[in-house]
Amino acid sequence: MSTWEKQSFSIECQREGMSAFFPKEGKYDEKKGNVLFVSHIVDRPGAPLVLFDLMKHYQKTYNVFLVTMMDGNLRDEIVQQNIPVFIGMPVNMKHVMEKLRADEFEQIWINTLICHGFVMLFQNTDILVFWWFHEPEPLFRLYYERMPELPLYSDNIKIVAVSRLVQKTIFKYYHIKSKLLHMPVKDFGRAERESENNKVIFFMPARFQRTKGHDVIAKAILGMPEEYRKRTEFWFAGAKDEREPDYYELICSLSRAYPETVKVLGELSRDCVYEIYQKCDCVIAPSREDATPTTIVEGLMFECICICSDTAGIAQYLTNGENAFIVKSQDERVLQKCIEYVVDHKKELDTLRKAGRQVFLDNFEESIVWNQLRKLTTGR
């Protein structure tokens, strides 16, 4: 065993002025090969958290290094997992990689469109690079003019999509048939409801922003007859987006108007969110655009009733009324009627709950995804 600080990659990153955060207790295993991961930020929830799960899987057989463009609230947890974190930009990485042996890393994983500046560093090399896309279509539209060269990358760079919707979006813009690697979700089993609540609890864990559709669900709540508001609670968890603060303020205003109905819980850890899945009846994702989202996958795992918009990527795995409810995006009236239906028929939806969990087991449960990964990285 050796220390992370003594590794050539660690030394060169610091020489290039990159901030470095090393595990205090964990060690570098000289018997293992190295894999490098690149993220645009180390923050929760979303793509960085999904990448963290992938890194933990790789740790079983490799030493894992992480480079991120921006710091975030997930960094300390990553370091505690015995993964060193380096903060820098593509120009820093370019100088670092020029000073290392070509075989320093056996694989490199680059996460999200935003990290496209790192990909060119590995063009026409022998390093196996996986570029994992998580974004909904609006971001592809935004980045299309910045990176029209996607079809021209060398064969060592493999394009990977997190969902069928992202696969279709990549093909739409670049005519590339990408590989599929779903987000891995550890199975915590179906939820045993802790108590019979008099109210039907709807849960929406998501960052407060336009793309998630907080204004759509707010309109649906406002449109509900008072008798339904008295029979329901809507729990919102997530971070305020400082670039779009109006969506957070909207839900806070709604909670002040209907304090017995609308609850704002703030940003919660994954453990706290999982506890709520076991208490709530229904998970909602009225997204305008969403590559998956994770919350619905987790809701399916816990046998919650799930409602998502037809523009969410997870909708392509679901059948309306059979294993979940799919509503038209940005249509608050349709969402309202669906919510009222769940309130009226909650006790009759056990079959739908079980069918939803089967969708999770067939597509997103860890062993299924690790089998996908094995085929992706080895071809077998």
Side-chain angles (χ1 to χ4, degrees):
M1 293 287 188
S2 181
T3 62
W4 290 101
E5 292 91 330
K6 293 181 179 179
Q7 305 315 306
S8 55
F9 181 77
S10 303
I11 293 169
E12 295 302 333
C13 282
Q14 291 178 95
R15 282 177 177 170
E16 287 301 320
M18 297 170 68
S19 299
F21 300 89
F22 296 105
K24 293 182 179 179
E25 298 179 1
K27 298 292 184 180
Y28 176 90
D29 190 342
E30 296 173 345
K31 297 178 182 179
K32 293 181 178 180
N34 298 331
V35 174
L36 174 65
F37 289 80
V38 179
S39 180
H40 68 287
I41 193 171
V42 282
D43 203 353
R44 58 164 59 86
L49 195 56
V50 173
L51 186 71
F52 187 24
D53 288 334
L54 183 63
M55 288 191 288
K56 287 186 283 188
H57 178 73
Y58 263 87
Q59 277 189 302
K60 297 173 183 177
T61 48
Y62 292 96
N63 295 301
V64 171
F65 296 77
L66 174 66
V67 169
T68 178
M69 295 165 66
M70 295 177 62
D71 202 357
N73 59 22
L74 192 59
R75 184 244 297 164
D76 288 345
E77 189 175 341
I78 293 172
V79 174
Q80 290 170 8
Q81 185 64 32
N82 195 33
I83 299 172
V85 176
F86 304 88
I87 302 175
M89 301 301 286
V91 64
N92 305 115
M93 272 292 296
K94 179 178 184 296
H95 296 148
V96 169
M97 296 306 296
E98 287 173 348
K99 298 173 184 176
L100 299 178
R101 303 190 323 268
D103 63 350
E104 184 75 22
F105 296 105
E106 294 187 23
Q107 293 178 27
I108 294 174
W109 280 83
I110 297 175
N111 210 37
T112 75
L113 275 168
I114 302 171
C115 291
H116 68 96
F118 290 91
V119 182
M120 283 298 294
L121 305 181
F122 308 104
Q123 174 78 344
N124 295 318
T125 68
D126 293 328
I127 304 174
L128 185 57
V129 178
F130 297 97
W131 192 2
W132 202 12
F133 288 79
H134 300 255
E135 288 81 358
E137 186 168 346
L139 279 173
F140 278 89
R141 289 197 297 267
L142 177 64
Y143 274 84
Y144 182 72
E145 293 184 0
R146 303 184 193 181
M147 41 174 276
E149 76 283 355
L150 191 64
L152 305 179
Y153 282 118
S154 50
D155 291 342
N156 64 302
I157 298 171
K158 311 298 182 184
I159 307 301
V160 184
V162 77
S163 71
R164 295 171 188 167
L165 179 60
V166 176
Q167 272 190 314
K168 291 180 179 180
T169 304
I170 292 170
F171 188 81
K172 175 180 177 179
Y173 282 85
Y174 295 103
H175 301 288
I176 293 173
K177 292 183 178 179
S178 56
K179 299 295 184 180
L180 186 65
L181 182 68
H182 291 134
M183 65 177 70
V185 180
K186 184 177 180 179
D187 185 12
F188 281 81
R190 62 179 296 275
E192 295 293 340
R193 305 296 149 182
E194 295 185 355
S195 62
E196 188 67 26
N197 196 302
N198 292 327
K199 291 188 175 184
V200 181
I201 300 174
F202 295 84
F203 183 37
M204 183 175 171
R207 183 180 295 271
F208 290 84
Q209 54 190 193
R210 181 179 184 277
T211 188
K212 296 296 184 181
H214 285 88
D215 55 322
V216 180
I217 191 170
K219 292 175 183 176
I221 295 170
L222 286 168
M224 290 167 55
E226 184 62 25
E227 64 175 287
Y228 281 95
R229 280 198 292 269
K230 289 180 178 179
R231 296 167 62 190
T232 58
E233 286 186 10
F234 293 85
W235 296 0
F236 294 89
K240 176 181 179 180
D241 192 322
E242 297 300 335
R243 296 167 298 180
E244 300 179 305
D246 291 351
Y247 294 93
Y248 176 77
E249 297 300 336
L250 171 63
I251 300 302
C252 287
S253 297
L254 202 61
S255 71
R256 289 191 292 269
Y258 301 104
E260 301 302 317
T261 301
V262 178
K263 316 290 182 181
V264 180
L265 308 179
E267 188 173 9
L268 303 176
S269 68
R270 180 184 284 187
D271 288 344
C272 289
V273 170
Y274 276 22
E275 287 179 12
I276 293 175
Y277 286 136
Q278 298 177 63
K279 299 176 182 177
C280 74
D281 299 290
C282 180
V283 178
I284 301 185
S287 311
R288 285 181 166 84
E289 301 280 353
D290 217 321
T292 307
T294 306
T295 58
I296 295 296
V297 175
E298 293 169 340
L300 295 170
M301 175 181 70
F302 280 108
E303 279 194 14
C304 299
I305 301 163
C306 291
I307 301 174
C308 70
S309 66
D310 57 1
T311 51
I314 191 65
Q316 299 197 12
Y317 298 79
L318 301 171
T319 302
N320 184 42
E322 181 178 307
N323 42 39
F325 293 108
I326 303 170
V327 297
K328 183 175 174 57
S329 177
Q330 302 189 76
D331 192 328
E332 66 271 13
R333 287 292 297 165
V334 172
L335 177 59
Q336 175 192 327
K337 293 302 180 185
C338 187
I339 291 170
E340 292 171 3
Y341 181 87
V342 171
V343 173
D344 290 335
H345 299 86
K346 167 187 166 182
K347 295 182 179 180
E348 304 165 23
L349 295 174
D350 283 351
T351 300
L352 178 139
R353 292 178 188 265
K354 289 180 172 59
R357 176 166 164 76
Q358 193 61 48
V359 172
F360 160 76
L361 292 172
D362 291 344
N363 295 280
F364 302 99
E365 189 273 326
E366 274 189 328
S367 64
I368 299 296
V369 178
W370 299 148
N371 190 46
Q372 279 185 327
L373 178 64
R374 178 183 57 78
K375 293 178 180 178
L376 178 66
T377 57
T378 67
R380 301 193 301 273

